[in-house]
Amino acid sequence: MEVSRLAISASTRAKLISAGYTSLSSLSTLSPFNLATDIKIPEKEADEILKLASHNGKLDNTKGTQAVSGGQTAWDMLKEDEGLRCITTSCSALDNILGGGINCKEVTEIGGVPGIGKTQLGIQLAINVQIPHEHGGLAAKAIYIDTEGSFMVERALQIAEACLSDYNDLPRRGCNANQLKRQPKDLLENIYYFRVCSYTEQIALINYLGKFIKEHKEVKIVIVDSITFHFRQDFENMALRTRLLSELALKLMKLANEFKLAVVLLNQVTTKYTEGAVHLTLALGDSWSHACTNRIILHWNGNERYAYIDKSPTLQSASAPYSVTGKGIRDSVSDHKRVKLM
Amino acid sequence: MAPLKSLEVENPIIDFNFQQFCASHHIFSVEDFLFHDIYKLQISTKHHSNSERLEQGITVILSIIEAQHQPWVNGMELLEEAQGNKHSISTGYERIDMLLQGGLFRGNLVEVVGPSSSGKTQICLKAAANVAVNNLGSVIFFDTGNSFSPKRIEKLLDQIPDSAKIKTEEARQQVMNKIVCQSVFDIFVLIDLLHQLKSNLKPMTGCSVQMLIVDSVSSLVTPILGSGAHGHALMVSVGFLLKELAYEHNLSVLVTNHMVGAEGGHLKPALGESWKNIPHMRLHLSRDRKSNICSMSILRHPYIAAGKAQDIDAVYEKVFRNTNLQQQPPAMQNMSCSQENDSKLKMTDEFFEKLYKNNVQQHQSMQNISYSQDPSERCV
């Protein structure tokens, strides 16, 4: 039945079907008033249904050569992507394996054991997205969604100070002496922080994000720390969880694509039993593992922290050391250059 | 199905009077008409004043319905057609083409299923690049996970053996313009786009769309599945639309599907039983984490024997052992991977060669399989 393909509520759909309107063509000749009286719904609703139906069956012949409207050729996309800048992680080895940093228009999942530096990396990215253009940054703002309450504003201030002193020491391209020196305070002002206390709030917030970003176009990164927390507890119905999470992922993808921003989801780890051995994997299960475009796993190797690219359509699997210092994420001290590829 | 009203223009006999008569029997569309007992309908016309005219109307509708059916085709004609225009499109991987005896078939819906980072998107991108570069026609790519990467396509183009002809910027532009990507984040949008495609492809039979890729269909379906029968209906309707497009326009349709956890920690393809029989061909991908080798096996194919799931598992094991034989110890292997960006996929080729020659030397392989590796290198 064709009407079931329309994005309308179940009750309206049932009304349509029971009144005999099963096909789109049966709706095509109706006026909103007729439909409204026929199935006893407000005229406004009827108008919406008819709009949907006519849009659905409409032939888009405006562009003769294009088979689908709104599609983009790979060439155009390539040219467009060349203009996009990456968000640096402040660790050159990590930037190196990521092809310059965290990519805009992509959803990147970063996971690891507690204490490995997930939140540190999140805060670092929220600061780094604000690096001005003349230093190769995006000069943008950040949204930080905190579900665990682990965002430490004092720590963010430290990282902001370190970041500012780093690029203020560098010689500027197109030097502008009149420009006021930015203060760490300014950097903190550019982080929009949301505290989320339950999974319903989390879903509501992500639904609202589109509207928020439309009003704040300069936002170029959304960090969710962590996507997992509320979904790991008090969830009896696992099928429902999968459904909610995959919907959430699609919405974030849409945001990333529409506003050309980077989405970074932090995730926890869990143990998994396969083939007689227990090992650690990222939480939320197998169906979630498909949800993100990129997946980076942070882990310990001896006394060193390593980041490993587990999944990416463009990058090859590789791992790189990094360290968490007082200034934030930095290159690993012990061996500076070694990048190990897998 | 058309409402009766719309037939009025061409068939004056289906007038307002007749429509009202039908409406009194809860018949509004031709579809309703088919559900109804026509014998009873004919009897009830007797109670009306102009029964003859009503009966005439019924016969007219019946004849319209009869005219709808497709002409018969016999087996011989089908075979000729299959040999004539249902030839296959290469995936760009020699070994996969060998396994599939030619590649992806036109007019077929092919599903690639595998766990996360097993190479599903790579196969899609490679197939798209291959169609574009060989001037076969254009490719439509529906992307649900922002995983379509033009950069990767460009890299793949460089690897094609006779890449000399796409060295120049213009030639490259021409090739890449053949791949059209559209982001889809909603199943209703997908259905809408497929309808558009259906109606837009029709007038242009010369239009050269050769391949339609949906990567991945399951991420659109998962959010609606399980919330009632409606989700199921949408999923099946997407499946039928894809098959219809494939059949009518002789497209090769490639979709990807995820693997989800099933009982006992095993993985199974997502979307369940009712999706299972929709694709013509089902290919399973997996990647061995230790050796970084991807492998493919056939779960369902129109005529190549697939064997049972257990058998496939067995084949996997054999071949993994076998390929391990070929490889250096793990540490060395990592090195060799790092030199070549695409070695992960090249090894796939090696894998298929082995599968084909089937010269598995069990004893030797058994000795070689038991190596240990530092787990921290791999994963957390």
Side-chain angles (χ1 to χ4, degrees), chain B residues 181-195:
Chain B
C181 174
Q182 162 96 41
S183 295
V184 185
F185 300 110
D186 190 332
I187 191 148
F188 296 108
V189 176
L190 180 68
I191 290 176
D192 195 19
L193 284 169
L194 291 177
H195 271 290

Side-chain angles (χ1 to χ4, degrees), chain B residues 236-278:
Chain B
V236 174
S237 119
V238 165
F240 281 146
L241 263 172
L242 287 169
K243 273 172 107 166
E244 201 180 329
L245 273 170
Y247 173 74
E248 278 182 7
H249 303 288
N250 218 17
L251 299 178
S252 165
V253 181
L254 183 63
V255 302
T256 61
N257 188 3
H258 298 157
M259 300 283 268
V260 291
E263 290 116 58
H266 291 287
L267 289 172
K268 62 166 190 196
L271 304 185
E273 293 292 313
S274 49
W275 175 265
K276 203 171 160 186
N277 55 19
I278 289 177

Side-chain angles (χ1 to χ4, degrees), chain A residues 156-339:
Chain A
L157 188 68
Q158 272 179 6
I159 293 175
E161 275 165 359
C163 175
L164 274 177
S165 70
D166 269 9
Y167 73 71
N168 279 341
D169 291 346
L170 292 169
R172 271 184 201 201
R173 272 178 277 152
C175 182
N176 190 352
N178 295 334
Q179 204 176 328
L180 281 169
K181 254 193 166 178
R182 290 175 89 191
Q183 296 298 313
K185 250 181 17 205
D186 304 333
L187 293 191
L188 291 189
E189 255 172 23
N190 287 337
I191 300 175
Y192 299 107
Y193 173 82
F194 295 92
R195 177 79 172 93
V196 166
C197 297
S198 74
Y199 78 87
T200 8
E201 274 181 44
Q202 192 172 333
I203 292 167
L205 177 62
I206 283 164
N207 287 345
Y208 164 68
L209 270 187
K211 207 176 150 211
F212 183 84
I213 295 170
K214 222 172 244 167
E215 288 160 11
H216 301 83
K217 283 252 165 64
E218 61 278 29
V219 169
K220 280 290 167 219
I221 191 166
V222 175
I223 300 150
V224 186
D225 179 16
S226 66
I227 192 87
T228 334
F229 188 68
H230 297 302
F231 285 93
R232 277 189 94 169
Q233 42 211 337
D234 307 331
F235 244 96
E236 301 249 304
N237 186 345
M238 291 316 247
L240 177 70
R241 186 180 91 161
T242 308
R243 217 153 61 225
L244 289 175
L245 278 170
S246 51
E247 206 178 329
L248 214 63
L250 279 178
K251 276 179 187 144
L252 289 168
M253 293 273 180
K254 196 175 176 180
L255 280 181
N257 197 45
E258 201 176 330
F259 299 103
K260 300 193 172 42
L261 48 81
V263 175
V264 174
L265 307 177
L266 304 180
N267 195 357
Q268 303 172 339
V269 289
T270 184
T271 50
K272 195 180 173 188
Y273 181 82
T274 40
E275 287 153 15
V278 178
H279 62 101
L280 289 170
T281 58
L282 297 193
L284 298 180
D286 291 311
S287 50
W288 174 257
S289 69
H290 297 282
C292 296
T293 321
N294 301 309
R295 198 166 223 207
I296 300 167
I297 294 175
L298 308 178
H299 63 97
W300 289 100
N301 189 6
N303 278 327
E304 252 184 314
R305 293 177 159 99
Y306 270 78
Y308 167 70
I309 300 178
D310 186 51
K311 173 190 171 184
S312 165
T314 34
L315 306 163
Q316 66 185 115
S317 299
S319 76
Y322 68 96
S323 65
V324 179
T325 67
K327 291 171 155 188
I329 305 288
R330 289 295 182 268
D331 282 326
S332 179
V333 200
S334 63
D335 60 1
H336 200 69
K337 284 279 177 273
R338 193 171 61 127
V339 176

Side-chain angles (χ1 to χ4, degrees), chain B residues 11 33 65 108 120 130 166 209 213 293 310 320 359 376:
Chain B
N11 305 284
F33 198 86
I65 292 167
N108 271 7
K120 300 185 295 292
N130 199 53
I166 48 160
V209 176
I213 299 172
I293 297 167
Q310 304 98 287
F320 274 142
N359 54 354
S376 60

Side-chain angles (χ1 to χ4, degrees), chain B residues 144-182:
Chain B
T144 69
N146 289 356
S147 54
F148 179 82
S149 161
K151 271 186 218 148
R152 182 76 186 137
I153 293 262
E154 205 184 20
K155 267 192 199 140
L156 288 170
L157 287 180
D158 286 334
Q159 287 166 6
I160 286 166
D162 49 345
S163 60
K165 63 181 179 190
I166 48 160
K167 270 285 182 293
T168 60
E169 182 97 351
E170 294 95 78
R172 193 162 279 234
Q173 180 174 3
Q174 213 181 2
V175 166
M176 289 186 68
N177 270 336
K178 289 208 181 98
I179 304 171
V180 179
C181 174
Q182 162 96 41

Side-chain angles (χ1 to χ4, degrees), chain A residues 1-8 13 18-27 29-30 55-61 63-79 81-82 103 105-107 111-113 239 242-244 246-247 250-258 269 272-274 279-282 286-287 289-293 295 297-302 308-317 319 340-342, chain B residues 1-3 5-6 28-29 31-32 114-117 120-122 125 140 142-155 169-170 172-174 176-186 188 191-197 199-201 203-204 207 209 219-227 230 233-234 237 241 257-262 264-267 287 289 292 333-335 337-341 344 374 376-380:
Chain A
M1 271 185 253
E2 283 180 315
V3 285
S4 63
R5 289 174 194 157
L6 297 177
I8 50 178
R13 195 169 52 240
S18 61
Y21 298 105
T22 53
S23 67
L24 293 179
S25 53
S26 67
L27 291 168
T29 51
L30 283 174
H55 174 71
N56 218 295
K58 193 178 64 185
L59 310 184
D60 191 19
N61 283 333
K63 284 184 222 158
T65 49
Q66 205 80 332
V68 283
S69 63
Q72 230 184 342
T73 68
W75 181 259
D76 293 343
M77 287 175 83
L78 185 70
K79 291 291 137 196
D81 286 2
E82 275 169 9
N103 281 313
K105 274 178 88 177
E106 278 177 13
V107 177
V113 289
T242 308
R243 217 153 61 225
L244 289 175
S246 51
E247 206 178 329
L250 279 178
K251 276 179 187 144
L252 289 168
M253 293 273 180
K254 196 175 176 180
L255 280 181
N257 197 45
E258 201 176 330
V269 289
K272 195 180 173 188
Y273 181 82
T274 40
H279 62 101
L280 289 170
T281 58
L282 297 193
D286 291 311
S287 50
S289 69
H290 297 282
C292 296
T293 321
R295 198 166 223 207
I297 294 175
L298 308 178
H299 63 97
W300 289 100
N301 189 6
Y308 167 70
I309 300 178
D310 186 51
K311 173 190 171 184
S312 165
T314 34
L315 306 163
Q316 66 185 115
S317 299
S319 76
K340 195 169 169 198
L341 298 171
M342 303 209 158
Chain B
M1 277 287 188
K5 261 183 232 168
S6 66
F28 300 98
S29 68
E31 199 177 26
D32 295 334
S116 142
S117 82
K120 300 185 295 292
T121 303
Q122 292 304 314
L125 293 175
I140 294 174
F142 290 143
D143 180 16
T144 69
N146 289 356
S147 54
F148 179 82
S149 161
K151 271 186 218 148
R152 182 76 186 137
I153 293 262
E154 205 184 20
K155 267 192 199 140
E169 182 97 351
E170 294 95 78
R172 193 162 279 234
Q173 180 174 3
Q174 213 181 2
M176 289 186 68
N177 270 336
K178 289 208 181 98
I179 304 171
V180 179
C181 174
Q182 162 96 41
S183 295
V184 185
F185 300 110
D186 190 332
F188 296 108
I191 290 176
D192 195 19
L193 284 169
L194 291 177
H195 271 290
Q196 261 183 43
L197 210 58
S199 57
N200 288 356
L201 284 179
M204 312 176 269
C207 172
V209 176
S219 56
L220 292 180
V221 174
T222 323
I224 53 153
L225 212 57
S227 57
H230 185 227
L234 282 172
S237 119
L241 263 172
N257 188 3
H258 298 157
M259 300 283 268
V260 291
H266 291 287
L267 289 172
R287 172 174 152 205
R289 290 263 163 182
N292 233 343
Q333 207 180 299
N334 289 339
M335 299 288 283
C337 287
S338 64
Q339 286 162 6
E340 178 70 55
N341 190 9
K344 167 181 153 191
D374 183 11
S376 60
E377 273 191 315
R378 292 289 149 211
C379 202
V380 216

